[in-house]
Amino acid sequence: MECDVAVLGGGPAGYTAAIRAAQLGGKVVAKHPNAPFISELDGYTINSIPSTETGNSRAYESPGGQLWCVVPDGLREFRDGNWVLHPVPEIAAQFQAPSRPSISLWPIRQGLVLVLLPDRLMEFTSEATTPPRLETLRSAVQSGLERFSGMEPAADGGACVGGREDAGF
């Protein structure tokens, strides 16, 4: 979830900081340690968004405000006040690996998300007119890299994907 200020906890200091940042025009989200929701403040109202069942997943927001997160079974999309699970076996396999998975999401627009796994770049589509679809766009091997390590938006609107080459060791 994109924001200007993230507040962890809802005590007096966090509450005061969140209100002041929102009054100054910042987009503020607050995660309450023992509550099953995230609060979004815009300076006038507070919206409560339920947390995912896993509780510690990062939320990613599309330019249109749609929320997504990675969970051990795949992807969750926040739709109509609830988190909807989209099972993705490729993501589930990453959570079965002995090391912590490195998975990046980039919501492009409503219903379209790029998913970067260590071995492939995929496109997930959940638009209302079609059943959800997952397509591999490129593998790390096809790109000349051993593994992908991260993805960020580029200045030109494209994606900048990082990785590492096989050093031959």
Side-chain angles (χ1 to χ4, degrees), residues 1-9 14 17-18 21 27-31 39:
M1 175 180 288
E2 295 293 323
C3 65
D4 299 308
V5 177
V7 176
L8 301 176
K27 182 174 179 183
V28 179
V29 294
K31 175 64 177 126
S39 297

Side-chain angles (χ1 to χ4, degrees), residues 130-155:
T130 63
R133 187 184 86 240
L134 182 70
E135 178 183 352
T136 297
L137 301 176
R138 184 167 302 263
S139 71
V141 172
Q142 288 173 315
S143 71
L145 297 172
E146 178 186 346
R147 296 177 65 79
F148 291 132
S149 60
M151 172 175 58
E152 293 291 330

